[in-house]
Amino acid sequence: MTIHSPEPFSQNPQIAFHRTELGVILGLYGRMVAAGEWRDYGISCLREVAVFSIFRRAAEHPIYRIEKRPKLRSRQGQYAVIGMDGRILKRGNDLKQVLRVLERKLIRSVE
């Protein structure tokens, strides 16, 4: 399949998760799937943000979004976990630290 874009890729770069970032995110995702909490995910790579959306069922709105916004690296932190209602649950520059807000939910659901 060939993807055509109106502008060359170098002029219109997209933000994406790096392989190591995806490894951290998918590690948590796998644990939550095994616990029966999550069932599906989606990844969007846009001009200013990369989004990993987490779903309880495929037909729903995401229950969580993990966002990467490199422009916020020096201010609030480039990573954020956002709830279904749009509230930012955690923000920072260390992805593992930011994802801990979701790991706490895993500990509660297993008990």
Side-chain angles (χ1 to χ4, degrees):
M1 171 177 13
T2 305
I3 299 174
H4 298 281
S5 65
E7 299 178 33
F9 184 74
S10 62
Q11 291 180 2
N12 190 14
Q14 292 179 327
I15 303 300
F17 289 104
H18 188 269
R19 179 186 294 181
T20 56
E21 295 167 329
L22 279 176
V24 172
I25 294 169
L26 289 172
L28 172 63
Y29 177 79
R31 291 191 304 275
M32 294 299 269
V33 168
E37 292 292 314
W38 299 346
R39 300 207 186 274
D40 201 6
Y41 71 90
I43 299 175
S44 301
C45 299
L46 306 171
R47 181 180 269 182
E48 294 190 20
V49 62
V51 182
F52 187 97
S53 300
I54 300 163
F55 300 88
R56 188 162 285 140
R57 290 176 205 76
E60 291 185 341
H61 294 288
I63 55 174
Y64 298 107
R65 291 188 333 262
I66 301 166
E67 292 188 354
K68 176 183 177 182
R69 292 181 184 266
K71 285 187 176 181
L72 297 178
R73 181 182 299 129
S74 63
R75 287 182 246 149
Q76 303 159 344
Q78 68 177 337
Y79 301 110
V81 173
I82 301 170
M84 187 185 309
D85 58 359
R87 288 185 310 150
I88 296 174
L89 304 177
K90 183 88 170 168
R91 181 182 290 280
N93 279 316
D94 183 350
L95 181 58
K96 289 182 182 179
Q97 285 289 100
V98 171
L99 293 180
R100 283 193 179 169
V101 72
L102 298 176
E103 288 179 357
R104 287 189 212 127
K105 296 181 183 307
L106 176 63
I107 293 169
R108 277 189 234 141
S109 68
V110 171
E111 291 180 344

